[in-house]
Amino acid sequence: MQAAPFSPIPICGDVVAGRPARSEEFDSGCISVDLSTIGISPNARTFALKVRGDSMTGVHIVDGDTIVLEMKPPHDGAIVAALVDGECTLKRYFVRRGVPYLKAENPKYQDIIPARELVIQGVVVAVFRKA
């Protein structure tokens, strides 16, 4: 039996799971993943980020996790890394009455409606946690 091919995915920085904040871009190596096991095509544009914060605990994404994201348009309800008015955050993406907004999975955080700009950086396709 042949071993599954693992693909290196670069860890490009961090994302705040909390109130939007400036994120740091850094080269923190990579995470090797068998893309077929998480349903991603080998030619997909992917990257990884480290999570800081607690706004997504309701979907079991916690501080210190590494998330893998695919650069693709989000669907309603997708978990995304997004730039909101120039600051980065990790939230669920929704559109209501034609207006996009972001929602935390922790009741202590309010919904975020961009004042000027919302740029989706990637859609979460996998979460990894150190044991």
Side-chain angles (χ1 to χ4, degrees), residues 28-73:
S28 184
C30 65
I31 184 170
S32 292
V33 177
D34 175 1
L35 295 178
S36 66
T37 64
I38 56 175
I40 300 176
S41 149
N43 59 359
R45 296 183 309 155
T46 58
F47 64 101
L49 297 170
K50 295 282 187 184
V51 176
R52 291 187 295 126
D54 66 352
S55 73
M56 298 303 288
T57 56
V59 288
H60 309 288
I61 299 175
V62 299
D63 190 77
D65 284 352
T66 300
I67 54 172
V68 175
L69 301 103
E70 184 176 353
M71 290 188 268
K72 65 181 183 179

Side-chain angles (χ1 to χ4, degrees), residues 38-117:
I38 56 175
I40 300 176
S41 149
N43 59 359
R45 296 183 309 155
T46 58
F47 64 101
L49 297 170
K50 295 282 187 184
V51 176
R52 291 187 295 126
D54 66 352
S55 73
M56 298 303 288
T57 56
V59 288
H60 309 288
I61 299 175
V62 299
D63 190 77
D65 284 352
T66 300
I67 54 172
V68 175
L69 301 103
E70 184 176 353
M71 290 188 268
K72 65 181 183 179
H75 59 81
D76 206 46
I79 299 171
V80 300
L83 281 173
V84 182
D85 301 325
E87 296 188 321
C88 192
T89 191
L90 180 68
K91 300 284 183 287
R92 277 206 189 270
Y93 171 85
F94 291 100
V95 178
R96 294 293 179 263
R97 296 183 196 101
V99 178
Y101 73 97
L102 301 174
K103 182 173 185 60
E105 289 289 343
N106 181 332
K108 76 178 192 179
Y109 293 93
Q110 295 182 358
D111 293 348
I112 299 169
I113 299 171
R116 296 178 308 280
E117 179 182 48

